[in-house]
């Protein structure tokens, strides 16, 4: 079973425009802390929390090496510490001047 390697990070509702401008910095910071993962930043996501970042793991993936190109594979469940650790890094941006 494949491990989760991608996350969608949804900005807090009130910070959308600031996060849009800082998207590269946020992705770079997350990449330094979690080099094994890839992050997609959504400044104006439909599932935004009012005051904190939401982190959504991509738990399914399509595999190109399959006989069935529409087959979806589910990933292993994440260790319980992963999302809280990602959110801890994102708190730096919630408190950063110009981003709140």
């Amino acid at each position: 079973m494949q491990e989760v390697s991608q996350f969608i990070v949804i900005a807090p509702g009130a910070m959308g425009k600031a996060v849009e401008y800082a998207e590269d910095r946020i992705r770079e910071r997350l990449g330094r802390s979690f080099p094994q993962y890839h992050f997609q930043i959504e400044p104006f996501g439909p599932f935004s929390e009012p005051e904190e970042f939401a982190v959504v793991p991509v738990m399914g993936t399509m595999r190109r090496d399959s006989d069935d190109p529409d087959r979806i594979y589910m990933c292993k469940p994440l260790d319980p510490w992963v999302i809280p650790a990602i959110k801890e890094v994102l708190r730096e941006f919630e408190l950063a001047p110009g981003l709140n």
Side-chain angles (χ1 to χ4, degrees):
M1 205 176 231
Q2 184 173 343
E3 297 200 12
V4 172
S5 63
Q6 185 172 2
F7 294 85
I8 299 170
V9 175
I10 304 166
M15 291 176 53
K17 200 64 166 172
V19 168
E20 184 177 43
Y21 291 130
E23 186 173 334
D24 290 337
R25 285 190 339 216
I26 295 169
R27 190 178 293 111
E28 180 183 317
R29 175 64 179 92
L30 288 167
R32 283 194 319 266
S33 293
F34 307 99
Q36 71 275 32
Y37 299 133
H38 301 281
F39 297 93
Q40 177 181 335
I41 311 295
E42 291 294 332
F44 304 101
F47 302 110
S48 67
E49 299 286 332
E51 307 225 356
E52 70 175 18
F53 284 90
V55 178
V56 180
V58 178
M59 297 293 294
T61 183
M62 295 183 78
R63 302 264 309 259
R64 306 237 187 269
D65 59 353
S66 170
D67 292 334
D68 180 2
D70 295 328
R71 188 169 181 185
I72 295 176
Y73 293 84
M74 295 304 294
C75 295
K76 293 179 190 176
L78 282 169
D79 287 330
W81 61 267
V82 174
I83 290 179
I86 293 169
K87 284 187 165 193
E88 186 63 34
V89 170
L90 290 166
R91 281 191 191 93
E92 294 173 18
F93 291 95
E94 291 172 8
L95 302 174
L99 286 183
N100 54 8

